[in-house]
Amino acid sequence: MTAPNRATLWGETLAEELLAAGVTGVCLAPGSRSTPLTTAFAARDDVEVFSHLDERSAAFFALGRSRRLGEPTALVCTSGTAAANFHPAVIEANQSRVPLIVLTADRPSELQDSGANQTIDQEKLYGDAVRWYRTLPEPKPESRALRSLRVSACRAVERAAGTPPGPVHLNVPFAKPLEPTEVEDDIPETLDADAPLGSTGRDGPFVRLSQGRPTLDSTTLDRLAADLSGIDRGLLVAGPANAPTPARESLAALAEATGWPVLADPLSGHRFGHEPHSHAQICGGYDSYLDAAGDWPDPEVVLRFGASPTSKVMRQYLRDHAAQQFVVDPAGGWREAEFTATDLITADPTWLAERLATRLDSPRADGWLARFRTAEQEHWNHVTDAVDTEHFEGAVLSTVARGAPDPATIMVSNSMPVRDLDRFGEPRGADLTVLGNRGASGIDGITSTALGAGSATDDPLVLVLGDLAFYHDMNGLLAVQRCGVDATIVLLNNDGGGIFHMLPIEEFDPPFTEHFKTPHGIDFEPVGDLYGLEYAVLDDLEGFETAYRESLGSAGTQILEVRFDAEQSHRVRERLHDQVCGAVE
Amino acid sequence: MTAPNRATLWGETLAEELLAAGVTGVCLAPGSRSTPLTTAFAARDDVEVFSHLDERSAAFFALGRSRRLGEPTALVCTSGTAAANFHPAVIEANQSRVPLIVLTADRPSELQDSGANQTIDQEKLYGDAVRWYRTLPEPKPESRALRSLRVSACRAVERAAGTPPGPVHLNVPFAKPLEPTEVEDDIPETLDADAPLGSTGRDGPFVRLSQGRPTLDSTTLDRLAADLSGIDRGLLVAGPANAPTPARESLAALAEATGWPVLADPLSGHRFGHEPHSHAQICGGYDSYLDAAGDWPDPEVVLRFGASPTSKVMRQYLRDHAAQQFVVDPAGGWREAEFTATDLITADPTWLAERLATRLDSPRADGWLARFRTAEQEHWNHVTDAVDTEHFEGAVLSTVARGAPDPATIMVSNSMPVRDLDRFGEPRGADLTVLGNRGASGIDGITSTALGAGSATDDPLVLVLGDLAFYHDMNGLLAVQRCGVDATIVLLNNDGGGIFHMLPIEEFDPPFTEHFKTPHGIDFEPVGDLYGLEYAVLDDLEGFETAYRESLGSAGTQILEVRFDAEQSHRVRERLHDQVCGAVE
């Protein structure tokens, strides 16, 4: 490697090593201090480079790409508040276990706390939200320093992709010159910058990683198998997927072995998909009918995978009715906020599900699964009727899931869309990768996350989000053009925070309308012109279905806006819930 | 005070005490966990309430209001990443010393790190960027706890408004119910919630604040006066204003006493304004001619107030030519990043300037001030010519400053606009309050900061910003409608990062155009429709002048876009700089 000065050499080495260690994409936000990194990444042809103007959106885009791929995306910004704009996405990445390598350029040490421009305290900027943090040394054209840099790059990838995966923060100070201008004698002639790689050069990273996953010893495994065997009434719960998550085959095998219902969160990776899951066991309507299941016999045992389920009804049902709850978390995250789990299993979910599948012996009390089957049928029949007769967001989510091509990637925003998909998205034998930001469940960065996910796949991309989420990350739409990602964007516009109708504050107006519901009255249609996207306002579900189908069949990005009255929609949901509960009691 | 439950009581008490301690405005972002705070603030008629949908913009709006008023604005958000969206503005507030009271609602302690929804680690979320941080206890209906709450509110205001002023973070956990629903026996009948205020009630805050400012003892003051007396060639430098900043009268008296030139940053509060400053001493063209002043006799002494000057030319001139540099900073901030200051004076600037004005005895070597007068004349003549003949951003900044009504509040973005105002904004006897976010000098949150400033004054509001800053905080425009602030918004569109033409990276393309200049090609005109604002694209300076005058004379908000070629503009600046330097050598 030859470089005109030490900053250039440092940036090139760091970029080279990150790519050698497995990074395949980087999001760059413009700035001066990050010049050596930007220049290094931009010069490579073995990395996908995404250029962003708003760092907040950039970080969520990187998060979305990493989430979809399951591998770390790098993220580069200049010094100053640019780095703080990454903070929301770093927190989401931490909580939903998405690998990210955050590279914040910094000014050299002597300028810290001196009143120098664009110089802020970037040390531990993200607190405990990162798996690993280092302020790197300033560029040094020395063999040992360059080896340390390569090791830091490998460590960053190792920690980002570890158990659990998550964000890593490297703070990278640079002194001028930042550009690839020749600086005489800056790099000693005796320095062989490639020397750290050994005389034979290398093919692969400086340090090869062999990362283990937690497994149980056979005694513990046998004890667990014994605990879970001979159970009449068991439940498998697949919460929102976080890496590492149980492979479809392994959970399907376990479901097959036990014959238990699988309550599959829409974000779990198990509600939608082809075989091997038997669709007789996959349940998706629980948020509607579990309220009525209190009169059924209680489950004897629940085995939970993934993060805390989206459905509050399900969480409360488990709290009140499950005598024994086994929570599987390879990272020992204790993610069970009702505090009724009785067993924590720190083991790789795929490994565990495979092992248990071959060891469990379940009596298959048919009545148990049958109850769920009947309830599911009742629920989906009612949903089908409601979709035909009612104008509410749930009908759109139902249509989105039923009408999505196979395969497709679908991103849903927090607040109501993910809840509506949970309740109205019927299990289906199609390869739908459904994503949501359920780590911190913010309404920020949704569009960027979706487009980042879209950049990582050839699947058609569908994004469903509410108007507040759409407004919050409008800037994210620039990635359609700049990063060449197409999407079908379904905007559910109920003019404010529809979810607040679900809360007791609805009864107190003021301040309900002005400060909770917060209607904004924005007509979003000019957003189409602003970003060069097709924009359609659909009046009814029929119109939406047609437009949705057309959008999926055509190139480019279409925004399909459907308007709702949040209060009326909430009443439809309540009515439907009561009907289903009444029918299954 | 009566309240239906402990959360309500807690929220009402906190709001009441903050207002009693002097807070007059609050920015609210919608959310559920913050319900007790939102409800409490919304119910008061003695506070201005601003409702925002994007927390990043909300925080910058609060910053702008606080900056313009010089008093703390409160800021409320729900739990989760909402709080992280405040981070950029908190950092700016820290570095530019703007008082802010950040109230982040949090979930109760038992839900931390449990996988519960919208629960993140909010402890010390902003690290060392705040003057004071506390996670408050959960609401307790007890006298001592309520007294502690009132004391915390008073402390928050005291620290936010202290020396230096800055942001304070109160993390406020609440358990359900969050709404003002009656909870039987939640508040003991024996509790007199107003008891902490004493049997007579109160008029004013629970703890009255008497906040001192640093002053020097007379021996030290006399020594300083002796050091600064008898100086032929002195300079007064007024850097960007941070509270507490020297009052106009005090610095004018000192200028009068010394006869020295006053190099007045556009953000200092001393470049523009009516008497008492003598405009024979106020200099604003230094960024153009100080490069040529190396051949002049060197200044013997420089006395600096405020933050580090915007002008790099000035900073380098001081570094290379000032034998003795006195830096006045009441907070002992050591803000001098060339590290050539010889004296740090930790004293209130107004107090000091007043005292020195009566003690200094300067010989008034006329040649010294005359050199600056001549250079100023040369510079402003060249600027006037250039405004008539050249199409570049500097001409707009010149026109904005010359044509602004008296009084007016003007906000300029970082990157080029503040630099162009520095160089092309001619000192003027008009009450122009010029603001910029020069703490961290980010391009984020500019529009929101401006509108927040506008909310605090009846002055006409002018905002001048580049296209990247405009894009970054487009969401901030919603405050025009929601918060009822009007502005004249001047958008200097050179399609990307024009400032990079000033840097050596310009020579390296690729990656210059794609990753530094980052042209986006956005036609911003639909933004007018999106936010219901008038939008005009002006082709030339004449058209701009007319539109600017019309906008200032009319109600509503107008966006005036003027398009430039950044590279060509940079050449104009270089040529002008060379001409002026040639003329004054």
Side-chain angles (χ1 to χ4, degrees):
Chain A
M1 185 177 288
T2 58
N5 63 55
R6 65 180 66 192
T8 312
L9 175 65
W10 200 254
E12 285 174 5
T13 305
L14 182 52
E16 179 183 81
E17 195 55 49
L18 287 170
L19 303 193
V23 170
T24 62
V26 60
C27 293
L28 304 176
S32 174
R33 191 57 50 174
S34 47
T35 296
L37 293 171
T38 301
T39 306
F41 279 113
R44 311 272 316 196
D45 53 14
D46 52 352
V47 63
E48 273 200 282
V49 176
F50 304 97
S51 172
H52 295 268
L53 300 184
D54 179 339
E55 294 83 7
R56 182 172 65 178
S57 297
F60 277 107
F61 186 97
L63 171 88
R65 182 179 182 276
S66 293
R67 194 192 278 293
R68 182 65 182 82
L69 278 183
E71 63 174 55
T73 303
L75 190 53
V76 174
C77 72
T78 189
S79 66
T81 50
N85 278 280
F86 286 170
H87 203 165
V90 168
I91 290 171
E92 174 61 25
N94 174 32
Q95 306 217 161
S96 55
R97 302 183 173 176
V98 175
L100 271 187
I101 313 261
V102 180
L103 306 168
T104 57
D106 201 354
R107 300 178 58 108
S109 176
E110 67 269 21
L111 297 187
Q112 297 301 323
D113 196 19
S114 71
N117 201 27
Q118 278 192 328
T119 309
I120 70 166
D121 179 5
Q122 296 177 191
E123 291 193 19
K124 305 198 172 177
L125 189 68
Y126 312 115
D128 291 335
V130 292
R131 300 283 175 270
W132 191 53
Y133 154 80
R134 272 214 70 193
T135 286
L136 295 179
E138 282 166 45
K140 283 186 200 164
E142 295 168 9
S143 269
R144 187 174 183 180
L146 288 165
R147 288 202 306 275
S148 88
L149 179 64
R150 288 189 187 273
V151 167
S152 290
C154 292
R155 285 183 73 170
V157 172
E158 185 266 333
R159 295 307 302 267
T163 304
V168 161
H169 177 203
L170 294 181
N171 189 44
V172 196
F174 287 107
K176 291 182 182 179
L178 307 166
E179 301 79 12
T181 42
E182 198 75 37
V183 178
E184 218 174 323
D185 296 334
D186 194 33
I187 299 170
E189 276 184 43
T190 53
L191 176 78
D192 177 359
D194 296 322
L197 302 170
S199 55
T200 57
R202 68 143 165 67
D203 179 23
F206 189 56
V207 182
R208 283 186 305 172
L209 305 174
S210 305
Q211 292 181 271
R213 303 279 189 212
T215 58
L216 303 174
D217 62 52
S218 59
T219 316
T220 309
L221 185 62
D222 288 344
R223 174 173 59 73
L224 277 177
D227 286 350
L228 295 165
S229 280
I231 302 288
D232 255 334
R233 298 183 307 280
L235 284 177
L236 295 173
V237 172
N242 291 151
T245 192
R248 289 182 54 73
E249 294 70 21
S250 66
L251 194 63
L254 183 58
E256 168 73 27
T258 58
W260 299 343
V262 180
L263 308 186
D265 194 280
L267 305 175
S268 66
H270 294 278
R271 184 181 293 195
F272 307 105
H274 296 286
E275 297 295 328
H277 267 299
S278 154
H279 280 94
Q281 280 168 276
I282 297 290
C283 300
Y286 45 78
D287 191 58
S288 195
Y289 59 73
L290 277 184
D291 269 341
D295 296 336
W296 305 357
D298 283 346
E300 296 160 84
V301 150
V302 176
L303 182 57
R304 287 173 56 165
F305 295 89
S308 184
T310 303
S311 164
K312 188 174 178 179
V313 170
M314 195 212 299
R315 295 194 307 266
Q316 295 185 341
Y317 173 78
L318 297 179
R319 175 191 71 194
D320 297 337
H321 297 280
Q324 234 187 331
Q325 266 194 79
F326 293 76
V327 174
V328 181
D329 187 341
W334 297 81
R335 295 184 300 187
E336 204 288 281
E338 296 298 338
F339 311 103
T340 55
T342 54
D343 287 74
L344 177 75
I345 308 174
T346 307
D348 182 73
T350 298
W351 179 91
L352 182 75
E354 280 171 1
R355 298 301 173 292
L356 289 179
T358 62
R359 280 167 175 77
L360 290 197
D361 173 27
S362 298
R364 314 208 159 243
D366 278 344
W368 178 241
L369 179 59
R371 271 185 193 273
F372 282 85
R373 290 310 320 149
T374 308
E376 285 281 311
Q377 215 153 37
E378 279 295 340
H379 172 70
W380 297 115
N381 286 344
H382 275 91
V383 170
T384 306
D385 289 348
V387 166
D388 286 344
T389 55
E390 308 274 9
H391 185 74
F392 76 124
E393 294 89 332
V396 171
L397 270 303
S398 167
T399 304
V400 162
R402 269 188 297 115
D406 179 8
T409 293
I410 301 175
M411 169 91 191
V412 283
S413 72
N414 290 308
S415 199
M416 289 317 294
V418 68
R419 289 184 173 86
D420 277 343
L421 183 66
D422 194 11
R423 195 176 281 189
F424 304 112
E426 189 168 358
R428 206 190 127 193
D431 184 13
L432 309 184
T433 304
V434 182
L435 307 174
N437 281 347
R438 289 303 283 177
S441 298
I443 61 160
D444 43 353
I446 299 297
T447 296
S448 296
T449 305
L451 295 175
S455 78
T457 170
D458 290 332
D459 289 2
L461 174 67
V462 179
L463 164 62
V464 186
L465 78 180
D467 48 288
L468 289 183
F470 184 80
Y471 165 76
H472 212 287
D473 190 26
M474 224 146 33
N475 279 1
L477 289 170
L478 192 57
V480 169
Q481 170 218 108
R482 281 179 85 86
C483 303
V485 188
D486 283 345
T488 296
I489 299 178
V490 182
L491 165 57
L492 306 176
N493 188 353
N494 55 34
D495 195 18
I499 196 171
F500 290 106
H501 285 287
M502 287 179 68
L503 298 172
I505 193 68
E506 185 191 15
E507 304 298 321
F508 301 91
D509 200 359
F512 173 73
T513 302
E514 191 177 348
H515 294 291
F516 291 87
K517 165 82 174 139
T518 58
H520 46 73
I522 303 174
D523 174 359
F524 288 107
E525 207 160 340
V527 171
D529 287 337
L530 184 59
Y531 290 106
L533 314 173
E534 296 164 57
Y535 198 102
V537 181
L538 291 322
D539 291 330
D540 53 26
L541 192 68
E542 206 171 307
F544 167 72
E545 270 197 80
T546 308
Y548 180 57
R549 210 167 35 240
E550 281 174 10
S551 169
L552 290 168
S554 56
T557 290
Q558 293 79 34
I559 300 178
L560 312 180
E561 179 185 349
V562 197
R563 294 179 187 165
F564 295 96
D565 179 312
E567 188 183 353
Q568 187 193 310
S569 299
H570 181 51
R571 303 301 156 231
V572 174
R573 289 189 197 96
E574 284 182 326
R575 200 161 58 239
L576 206 61
H577 175 251
D578 292 347
Q579 287 169 353
V580 175
C581 281
V584 307
E585 254 172 340
Chain B
M1 186 179 287
T2 57
N5 62 55
R6 64 182 66 194
T8 312
L9 176 66
W10 200 254
E12 285 174 6
T13 304
L14 181 52
E16 178 182 81
E17 196 55 49
L18 286 170
L19 303 192
V23 171
T24 62
V26 60
C27 293
L28 303 176
S32 173
R33 193 55 49 171
S34 47
T35 296
L37 293 171
T38 301
T39 306
F41 279 113
R44 311 272 316 197
D45 53 14
D46 53 352
V47 63
E48 273 199 281
V49 176
F50 304 98
S51 172
H52 295 267
L53 300 184
D54 179 340
E55 293 84 5
R56 181 172 68 176
S57 297
F60 277 107
F61 186 97
L63 171 88
R65 181 179 183 275
S66 292
R67 193 192 278 293
R68 182 64 183 85
L69 278 183
E71 64 174 55
T73 303
L75 191 53
V76 174
C77 72
T78 189
S79 65
T81 51
N85 278 281
F86 285 170
H87 204 167
V90 167
I91 290 171
E92 174 61 26
N94 174 32
Q95 306 218 160
S96 55
R97 303 183 173 176
V98 175
L100 272 187
I101 314 260
V102 180
L103 307 167
T104 56
D106 201 354
R107 300 178 60 107
S109 177
E110 67 269 21
L111 297 187
Q112 297 301 321
D113 196 19
S114 71
N117 202 26
Q118 278 193 330
T119 309
I120 69 166
D121 180 3
Q122 296 178 190
E123 290 194 21
K124 303 197 173 176
L125 189 67
Y126 312 115
D128 292 335
V130 292
R131 301 282 175 272
W132 191 54
Y133 154 81
R134 273 213 69 192
T135 285
L136 296 178
E138 281 166 46
K140 284 185 199 163
E142 295 168 10
S143 268
R144 189 175 183 179
L146 287 165
R147 287 202 307 275
S148 87
L149 179 64
R150 288 187 187 274
V151 167
S152 290
C154 292
R155 285 183 74 170
V157 172
E158 185 266 334
R159 295 307 301 266
T163 304
V168 161
H169 177 203
L170 293 181
N171 189 43
V172 195
F174 287 107
K176 292 183 180 179
L178 307 166
E179 301 80 11
T181 41
E182 197 76 37
V183 177
E184 218 173 325
D185 296 333
D186 193 33
I187 298 171
E189 273 184 46
T190 52
L191 177 77
D192 177 0
D194 297 322
L197 303 170
S199 55
T200 56
R202 66 141 164 68
D203 180 22
F206 188 55
V207 181
R208 282 185 307 172
L209 305 174
S210 305
Q211 291 181 272
R213 301 280 188 212
T215 59
L216 304 174
D217 62 51
S218 59
T219 315
T220 309
L221 183 62
D222 289 345
R223 174 174 57 73
L224 276 178
D227 286 349
L228 295 166
S229 278
I231 302 288
D232 255 334
R233 299 182 307 279
L235 284 178
L236 295 172
V237 172
N242 292 151
T245 193
R248 290 183 52 74
E249 294 69 23
S250 66
L251 193 64
L254 183 57
E256 169 73 26
T258 58
W260 298 343
V262 180
L263 308 186
D265 193 280
L267 305 175
S268 66
H270 295 278
R271 184 181 292 196
F272 307 105
H274 297 286
E275 299 293 332
H277 269 298
S278 156
H279 281 93
Q281 281 169 275
I282 297 290
C283 299
Y286 45 78
D287 191 59
S288 194
Y289 59 74
L290 277 184
D291 269 341
D295 295 337
W296 305 358
D298 284 345
E300 297 160 81
V301 149
V302 176
L303 183 57
R304 288 173 56 165
F305 296 89
S308 186
T310 304
S311 165
K312 188 174 180 181
V313 171
M314 195 212 298
R315 294 195 307 265
Q316 296 186 341
Y317 173 79
L318 298 178
R319 174 192 70 194
D320 297 336
H321 296 281
Q324 235 188 330
Q325 267 195 76
F326 293 77
V327 173
V328 181
D329 187 341
W334 298 81
R335 294 185 300 188
E336 205 287 280
E338 296 299 337
F339 310 103
T340 56
T342 55
D343 286 75
L344 178 75
I345 307 175
T346 307
D348 182 73
T350 298
W351 179 89
L352 182 75
E354 280 172 1
R355 298 301 174 291
L356 289 178
T358 63
R359 279 167 176 78
L360 291 198
D361 174 26
S362 299
R364 313 207 162 244
D366 276 344
W368 178 242
L369 178 59
R371 272 184 192 272
F372 282 85
R373 290 310 319 150
T374 307
E376 286 281 310
Q377 217 152 35
E378 280 294 340
H379 171 72
W380 297 116
N381 286 344
H382 276 89
V383 169
T384 306
D385 289 350
V387 166
D388 285 344
T389 55
E390 308 274 11
H391 185 73
F392 77 123
E393 293 88 334
V396 171
L397 270 303
S398 167
T399 303
V400 162
R402 270 188 297 114
D406 179 9
T409 292
I410 301 174
M411 170 92 190
V412 283
S413 72
N414 290 307
S415 199
M416 290 315 295
V418 67
R419 289 183 173 86
D420 277 342
L421 184 66
D422 194 10
R423 195 177 279 189
F424 304 112
E426 189 167 358
R428 203 188 132 195
D431 184 13
L432 309 184
T433 303
V434 183
L435 306 174
N437 281 348
R438 290 303 284 176
S441 298
I443 61 161
D444 43 353
I446 299 297
T447 296
S448 295
T449 306
L451 295 174
S455 79
T457 171
D458 290 332
D459 289 0
L461 174 67
V462 179
L463 164 61
V464 185
L465 78 179
D467 49 287
L468 288 184
F470 184 81
Y471 165 76
H472 212 288
D473 190 27
M474 223 145 37
N475 278 3
L477 289 170
L478 191 58
V480 169
Q481 170 217 108
R482 279 178 89 85
C483 303
V485 187
D486 282 345
T488 297
I489 299 177
V490 181
L491 165 57
L492 306 176
N493 189 352
N494 54 34
D495 195 17
I499 197 172
F500 290 105
H501 285 288
M502 288 180 67
L503 297 172
I505 193 68
E506 186 192 16
E507 305 298 321
F508 301 90
D509 200 358
F512 174 73
T513 302
E514 191 177 348
H515 294 292
F516 291 87
K517 165 84 175 138
T518 56
H520 45 73
I522 303 174
D523 173 1
F524 288 108
E525 208 161 339
V527 171
D529 287 339
L530 183 60
Y531 290 107
L533 313 173
E534 296 164 55
Y535 198 102
V537 181
L538 290 322
D539 291 329
D540 54 24
L541 192 67
E542 206 171 307
F544 168 71
E545 271 197 77
T546 308
Y548 180 58
R549 211 168 33 241
E550 281 174 10
S551 169
L552 290 167
S554 55
T557 290
Q558 293 79 32
I559 301 178
L560 312 179
E561 178 186 351
V562 197
R563 294 177 187 168
F564 295 96
D565 178 309
E567 187 182 356
Q568 187 192 308
S569 299
H570 181 50
R571 303 302 158 230
V572 174
R573 289 190 197 96
E574 283 182 326
R575 200 161 57 237
L576 206 61
H577 175 252
D578 291 347
Q579 288 168 352
V580 175
C581 280
V584 306
E585 254 173 339

